[in-house]
Short mmCIF file of all heavy atoms in Angstrom, two decimals:
data_model
loop_
_atom_site.label_atom_id
_atom_site.label_comp_id
_atom_site.label_asym_id
_atom_site.label_seq_id
_atom_site.Cartn_x
_atom_site.Cartn_y
_atom_site.Cartn_z
N LYS A 26 -5.29 -19.42 17.78
CA LYS A 26 -6.60 -19.41 18.35
C LYS A 26 -7.68 -18.89 17.26
O LYS A 26 -7.29 -18.23 16.34
CB LYS A 26 -6.73 -18.46 19.58
CG LYS A 26 -5.94 -19.12 20.71
CD LYS A 26 -5.80 -18.13 21.83
CE LYS A 26 -5.07 -18.89 22.95
NZ LYS A 26 -4.70 -17.93 24.09
N ARG A 31 -10.77 -13.41 12.83
CA ARG A 31 -10.38 -14.46 11.91
C ARG A 31 -11.63 -15.10 11.22
O ARG A 31 -11.60 -15.31 10.00
CB ARG A 31 -9.50 -15.47 12.50
CG ARG A 31 -8.10 -14.92 12.85
CD ARG A 31 -7.28 -15.80 13.60
NE ARG A 31 -5.99 -15.22 13.91
CZ ARG A 31 -5.02 -15.53 14.70
NH1 ARG A 31 -5.16 -16.80 15.29
NH2 ARG A 31 -3.89 -14.89 14.82
N LEU A 63 -12.70 -3.64 14.36
CA LEU A 63 -11.57 -4.21 13.73
C LEU A 63 -10.44 -3.23 13.46
O LEU A 63 -10.68 -2.10 13.04
CB LEU A 63 -12.00 -4.88 12.40
CG LEU A 63 -10.96 -5.56 11.53
CD1 LEU A 63 -10.61 -6.87 12.14
CD2 LEU A 63 -11.54 -5.84 10.14
N THR A 67 -4.84 -6.11 12.07
CA THR A 67 -5.35 -7.47 12.18
C THR A 67 -5.70 -7.99 10.83
O THR A 67 -5.50 -9.23 10.57
CB THR A 67 -6.66 -7.50 13.08
OG1 THR A 67 -6.29 -7.01 14.39
CG2 THR A 67 -7.23 -8.83 13.20
N ARG A 70 -2.32 -9.05 9.34
CA ARG A 70 -1.83 -10.24 10.14
C ARG A 70 -2.63 -11.49 9.67
O ARG A 70 -2.03 -12.48 9.35
CB ARG A 70 -1.85 -9.99 11.58
CG ARG A 70 -0.85 -9.07 12.09
CD ARG A 70 -0.76 -9.05 13.65
NE ARG A 70 -1.74 -8.07 14.13
CZ ARG A 70 -1.55 -7.12 15.08
NH1 ARG A 70 -0.40 -6.94 15.55
NH2 ARG A 70 -2.47 -6.35 15.44
P DG C 3 2.74 -18.96 29.66
OP1 DG C 3 3.92 -19.90 29.84
OP2 DG C 3 2.87 -17.50 30.13
"O5'" DG C 3 2.44 -18.88 28.11
"C5'" DG C 3 1.78 -20.04 27.52
"C4'" DG C 3 1.00 -19.56 26.30
"O4'" DG C 3 -0.10 -18.70 26.73
"C3'" DG C 3 1.83 -18.62 25.36
"O3'" DG C 3 1.40 -18.92 24.02
"C2'" DG C 3 1.36 -17.23 25.71
"C1'" DG C 3 -0.03 -17.41 26.03
N9 DG C 3 -0.70 -16.41 26.97
C8 DG C 3 -0.10 -15.92 28.02
N7 DG C 3 -0.87 -15.04 28.60
C5 DG C 3 -2.09 -15.01 27.91
C6 DG C 3 -3.29 -14.36 28.04
O6 DG C 3 -3.65 -13.55 28.95
N1 DG C 3 -4.23 -14.68 27.19
C2 DG C 3 -4.00 -15.66 26.13
N2 DG C 3 -5.03 -15.90 25.33
N3 DG C 3 -2.91 -16.31 25.93
C4 DG C 3 -2.00 -15.95 26.91
P DT C 5 -2.54 -16.43 17.81
OP1 DT C 5 -3.49 -17.16 16.92
OP2 DT C 5 -1.27 -16.04 17.37
"O5'" DT C 5 -3.33 -15.07 18.35
"C5'" DT C 5 -4.63 -15.27 18.71
"C4'" DT C 5 -5.20 -13.90 18.84
"O4'" DT C 5 -4.61 -13.22 20.00
"C3'" DT C 5 -5.02 -12.97 17.73
"O3'" DT C 5 -6.30 -12.54 17.25
"C2'" DT C 5 -4.18 -11.75 18.27
"C1'" DT C 5 -4.47 -11.85 19.74
N1 DT C 5 -3.41 -11.45 20.59
C2 DT C 5 -3.60 -10.45 21.66
O2 DT C 5 -4.80 -9.99 21.80
N3 DT C 5 -2.66 -10.12 22.42
C4 DT C 5 -1.31 -10.62 22.35
O4 DT C 5 -0.51 -10.27 23.15
C5 DT C 5 -1.02 -11.71 21.32
C7 DT C 5 0.26 -12.29 21.15
C6 DT C 5 -2.14 -11.96 20.51
P DT C 6 -6.47 -11.48 16.12
OP1 DT C 6 -7.76 -11.90 15.40
OP2 DT C 6 -5.22 -11.40 15.44
"O5'" DT C 6 -6.72 -10.13 16.86
"C5'" DT C 6 -7.80 -10.02 17.81
"C4'" DT C 6 -7.84 -8.64 18.50
"O4'" DT C 6 -6.71 -8.64 19.43
"C3'" DT C 6 -7.48 -7.52 17.49
"O3'" DT C 6 -8.79 -6.82 17.37
"C2'" DT C 6 -6.50 -6.60 18.18
"C1'" DT C 6 -6.20 -7.35 19.40
N1 DT C 6 -4.74 -7.53 19.67
C2 DT C 6 -4.12 -6.87 20.76
O2 DT C 6 -4.77 -6.13 21.49
N3 DT C 6 -2.76 -7.19 20.85
C4 DT C 6 -2.02 -7.97 20.07
O4 DT C 6 -0.78 -8.06 20.22
C5 DT C 6 -2.67 -8.57 18.98
C7 DT C 6 -1.88 -9.45 18.04
C6 DT C 6 -4.04 -8.34 18.80
P DG C 7 -8.81 -5.66 16.17
OP1 DG C 7 -10.33 -5.66 15.75
OP2 DG C 7 -7.86 -5.97 15.17
"O5'" DG C 7 -8.39 -4.40 16.91
"C5'" DG C 7 -9.25 -3.85 18.01
"C4'" DG C 7 -8.66 -2.65 18.49
"O4'" DG C 7 -7.37 -2.97 19.08
"C3'" DG C 7 -8.48 -1.57 17.53
"O3'" DG C 7 -8.87 -0.24 18.09
"C2'" DG C 7 -6.99 -1.57 17.15
"C1'" DG C 7 -6.30 -2.16 18.42
N9 DG C 7 -5.23 -3.01 18.18
C8 DG C 7 -5.04 -4.02 17.20
N7 DG C 7 -3.94 -4.65 17.28
C5 DG C 7 -3.31 -4.17 18.34
C6 DG C 7 -1.99 -4.52 18.94
O6 DG C 7 -1.25 -5.35 18.59
N1 DG C 7 -1.75 -3.71 20.05
C2 DG C 7 -2.55 -2.71 20.58
N2 DG C 7 -2.11 -2.08 21.63
N3 DG C 7 -3.78 -2.43 20.12
C4 DG C 7 -4.07 -3.23 18.97
P DT C 15 9.97 0.79 -5.00
OP1 DT C 15 9.32 -0.03 -6.07
OP2 DT C 15 11.39 0.93 -4.96
"O5'" DT C 15 9.27 2.25 -4.96
"C5'" DT C 15 7.80 2.27 -4.93
"C4'" DT C 15 7.36 3.68 -4.81
"O4'" DT C 15 7.89 4.27 -3.57
"C3'" DT C 15 7.83 4.54 -5.93
"O3'" DT C 15 6.64 5.01 -6.68
"C2'" DT C 15 8.52 5.86 -5.30
"C1'" DT C 15 8.01 5.73 -3.92
N1 DT C 15 8.94 6.19 -2.88
C2 DT C 15 8.51 7.27 -2.05
O2 DT C 15 7.43 7.88 -2.34
N3 DT C 15 9.43 7.76 -1.15
C4 DT C 15 10.64 7.07 -0.84
O4 DT C 15 11.27 7.62 0.08
C5 DT C 15 10.99 6.01 -1.63
C7 DT C 15 12.38 5.39 -1.43
C6 DT C 15 10.20 5.63 -2.58
#
Side-chain angles (χ1 to χ4, degrees):
Chain A
K26 290 169 181 174
R31 289 173 179 172
L63 181 70
T67 298
R70 283 187 282 229

